[in-house]
Amino acid sequence: MREADTLRPPQLMEVSADIISTVEFNHTGELLATGDKGGRVVIFQREPESKNAPHSQGEYDVYSTFQSHEPEFDYLKSLEIEEKINKIKWLPQQNAAHSLLSTNDKTIKLWKITERDKRPEGYNLKDEEGKLKDLSTVTSLQVPVLKPMDLMVEVSPRRIFANGHTYHINSISVNSDCETYMSADDLRINLWHLAITDRSFNIVDIKPANMEDLTVFFFLSEFHPHHCNLFVYSSSKGSLRLCDMRAAALCDKHSKLFEEPEFFFFCSFFSEIISSVSDVKFSHSGRYMLTRDYLTVKVWDLNMEARPIETYQVHDFFFFKLCSLYENDCIFDKFEFFFFWSDSVIMTGAYNNFFRMFDRNTKRDVTLEASRESSKPRAVLKPRRVCVGGKRRRDDISVDSLDFTKKILHTAWHPAENIIAIAATNNLYIFQDKVNSDMH
């Protein structure tokens, strides 16, 4: 992505009073879905360009809102199950309808989104209100006709995938075969078929016989974008395991292990916490893997397991503030990241409503802020800079002045254009990049 410091926001959307917990574009970028802690899913649709307003293309308006999950209670375990939406994944579009998967901690649901702008009229056996007529009054037959009506978006649950996980679901990933997907909790990864709801196949299980022996657990799993037999999963110790489902039914043995050597002089009480992978994705080409931990974003080559080929410091100035971050629980925040469709730029969130962008070609980076003050249409975002000490510029912000309650954990990038979506607590910011410029 070019000219990341001149992103201009076509529109600011305040979705709801609840905190946004996931953001996801569909495969064409026409639709954008968000999930929140209240169990709601809000879908935005991109408006087409009009002749009277040529600059309006890129704006997203509310398309549909529905309640995906409700709070539940597990009486066997005396456990409350939150309605919070953990992940949303769009399925490739097969017809005029759209489909997406949404999940909370326990249940995955498949939703179908359809449009209806015509209604049938002239039934033989029903009246205008849909009630059955008295058959003795039906003396002739007529052909029903379709009459235009106001556009109506219908969202209907197609399937519910429940009782597949004992522990909280952390991630879901749709396979490139468009028939299966996998879901991962803290100790197991299950493979599901989209047409079968009552059973799944356990492909990875690291639960020990004695839970006291548990030393590592899962965070995320992701399918390869092109090879339906390959997937990767991350562990709490920062390692990545690439598995091939052709090798064995139970993928308890990995094909490749990607793990960075830990230097003894960097070891500390916080080493495992900050090295835990909070997000993992394959590049669009499938050649690289990207991971996000608390302080860095790393790029791994699938052909080199020893160490990452690129490491980008997101907020390295926190390295000496880990104690205070541990006390306020910020050290456990799970930041996501996104990859530009050309695999050239990485975007990830930070604190104080800042988000960072790294250009892999020029090795330049920029810090931008998603705020109401900078969200006017066609306004230009100015680069921000966090000052650790010494001389400060006029617009610099001291590291001690950062607001840790304002954090950007969830981001998304349009699959084909320079449009990004930033979830800042309960606000959704949509930015569009200035075309044909260089990042500086």
Side-chain angles (χ1 to χ4, degrees), residues 331-370:
I331 199 172
F332 300 105
D333 287 334
K334 304 302 177 187
F335 292 93
E336 298 176 1
F337 71 92
F338 228 89
F339 218 15
F340 186 44
W341 50 270
S342 66
D343 294 343
S344 60
V345 178
I346 304 168
M347 172 183 63
T348 189
Y351 294 105
N352 209 74
N353 278 1
F354 288 166
F355 60 97
R356 305 265 285 145
M357 306 189 80
F358 303 93
D359 191 316
R360 296 183 60 207
N361 296 326
T362 63
K363 305 303 179 184
R364 295 174 179 175
D365 63 89
V366 65
T367 301
L368 303 171
E369 181 181 7

Side-chain angles (χ1 to χ4, degrees), residues 226-244:
H226 308 305
H227 303 293
C228 61
N229 56 290
L230 296 179
F231 70 94
V232 65
Y233 67 87
S234 65
S235 73
S236 58
K237 293 189 176 181
S239 60
L240 299 168
R241 288 171 170 81
L242 184 69
C243 299
D244 190 341

Side-chain angles (χ1 to χ4, degrees), residues 64-108:
S64 178
T65 302
F66 63 95
Q67 189 72 30
S68 176
H69 287 74
E70 300 282 355
E72 302 176 29
F73 189 82
D74 189 337
Y75 291 96
L76 293 177
K77 300 180 180 179
S78 296
L79 181 67
E80 292 184 1
I81 302 174
E82 294 183 354
E83 64 270 32
K84 171 192 170 187
I85 307 298
N86 291 340
K87 292 291 181 181
I88 291 176
K89 291 294 181 181
W90 290 92
L91 301 181
Q93 189 174 2
Q94 305 292 338
N95 46 45
H98 298 274
S99 300
L100 62 83
L101 291 168
S102 64
T103 181
N104 65 349
D105 286 339
K106 295 296 182 182
T107 305
I108 305 169

Side-chain angles (χ1 to χ4, degrees), residues 21-40:
S21 54
T22 184
V23 182
E24 190 81 13
F25 279 102
N26 73 338
H27 293 77
T28 63
E30 177 192 1
L31 300 178
L32 171 66
T34 66
D36 61 27
K37 288 191 172 182
R40 290 177 296 273

